[in-house]
Amino acid sequence: MKNVTDSFISLGYWPSAESFGFNTDILATNPINLSVVLGVLIFFGKGVLSDLLDNRKQRILKTIQNSEDLREGAIEQLEKARTRLRKVEMEADQFRVNGYSEIEREKLNLINSTSKSLEQLENYKNETIRFEQQRAINQVRQQVFQQALQGALGTLNSCLDNELHLRTISANIGMFGTMKEITN
């Protein structure tokens, strides 16, 4: 510590006309050199440092401004997207309501057309049943008539001999003749 103090005291005793040279005493020259270097750095570096800081400040401000602009744009897009979403949701609800009503209409139409088809099928069935009943009745009548006719012919053929046959023919001719006279 004594050396440091001595070096500061020796600064006051420098002769002003001496030549410039290197001082090899490390303890005596470091504070002076440091103060000179710091002074030069502060004097000349102040402008450069100030410019660097100003540039950095401008870049930061510009980045903040760009971020704000992007944020505002994002907010606008978000609002537009929300508006579109609300519109799409309303349209979806409308489609859903229309779809349900369309389904109900189609359901009623299908029920009505199925009911009409069933009614027509029932009518066709009833007509077919009546037709088949009538045909069956006619077939039964025909068969009964044929059987009765065959039975009558069989009875007539077995009971009639030539003489009875001739008398029956004569009686029938007589009846036809009487009927002819009545109608004339």
Side-chain angles (χ1 to χ4, degrees):
M1 187 69 140
K2 183 178 180 198
N3 290 336
V4 174
T5 312
D6 289 341
S7 65
F8 282 115
I9 292 175
S10 64
L11 285 178
Y13 295 111
W14 278 5
S16 58
E18 286 190 23
S19 68
F20 182 77
F22 289 108
N23 187 356
T24 58
D25 185 12
I26 293 177
L27 292 177
T29 56
N30 272 341
I32 296 171
N33 290 339
L34 287 177
S35 61
V36 169
V37 169
L38 285 177
V40 169
L41 283 176
I42 290 172
F43 182 75
F44 290 112
K46 184 168 101 175
V48 172
L49 186 60
S50 176
D51 287 345
L52 287 174
L53 290 175
D54 284 342
N55 288 340
R56 178 71 177 150
K57 180 181 175 183
Q58 291 301 322
R59 283 192 306 217
I60 290 172
L61 290 175
K62 191 181 230 181
T63 303
I64 290 172
Q65 184 62 39
N66 288 341
S67 298
E68 287 294 321
D69 292 344
L70 289 174
R71 181 180 161 272
E72 289 174 8
I75 289 172
E76 286 179 23
Q77 288 179 351
L78 178 63
E79 287 302 317
K80 287 178 183 177
R82 284 181 180 162
T83 304
R84 280 185 279 160
L85 177 64
R86 283 191 292 272
K87 182 179 177 185
V88 167
E89 285 175 344
M90 288 178 11
E91 288 176 359
D93 289 341
Q94 188 66 31
F95 284 139
R96 192 175 303 117
V97 168
N98 289 344
Y100 288 142
S101 62
E102 183 68 26
I103 288 170
E104 287 299 317
R105 275 195 301 271
E106 289 297 323
K107 180 178 154 185
L108 289 175
N109 289 342
L110 183 61
I111 289 171
N112 289 337
S113 66
T114 305
S115 174
K116 287 179 183 178
S117 297
L118 286 174
E119 188 177 320
Q120 287 176 347
L121 287 174
E122 185 69 26
N123 290 339
Y124 291 148
K125 180 188 83 168
N126 290 337
E127 286 179 23
T128 304
I129 289 173
R130 280 193 296 270
F131 176 74
E132 289 297 324
Q133 284 176 343
Q134 200 64 27
R135 194 171 84 172
I137 289 171
N138 288 339
Q139 284 178 348
V140 169
R141 281 183 185 165
Q142 240 177 4
Q143 287 176 353
V144 168
F145 179 70
Q146 284 177 355
Q147 287 177 354
L149 187 59
Q150 286 175 356
L153 284 175
T155 305
L156 282 177
N157 284 338
S158 65
C159 294
L160 284 178
D161 56 1
N162 274 343
E163 184 186 323
L164 186 58
H165 190 65
L166 287 176
R167 269 193 299 168
T168 306
I169 291 175
S170 295
N172 283 338
I173 291 176
M175 279 190 343
F176 282 131
T178 326
M179 284 173 51
K180 188 178 177 185
E181 287 176 6
I182 294 175
T183 54
N184 286 337

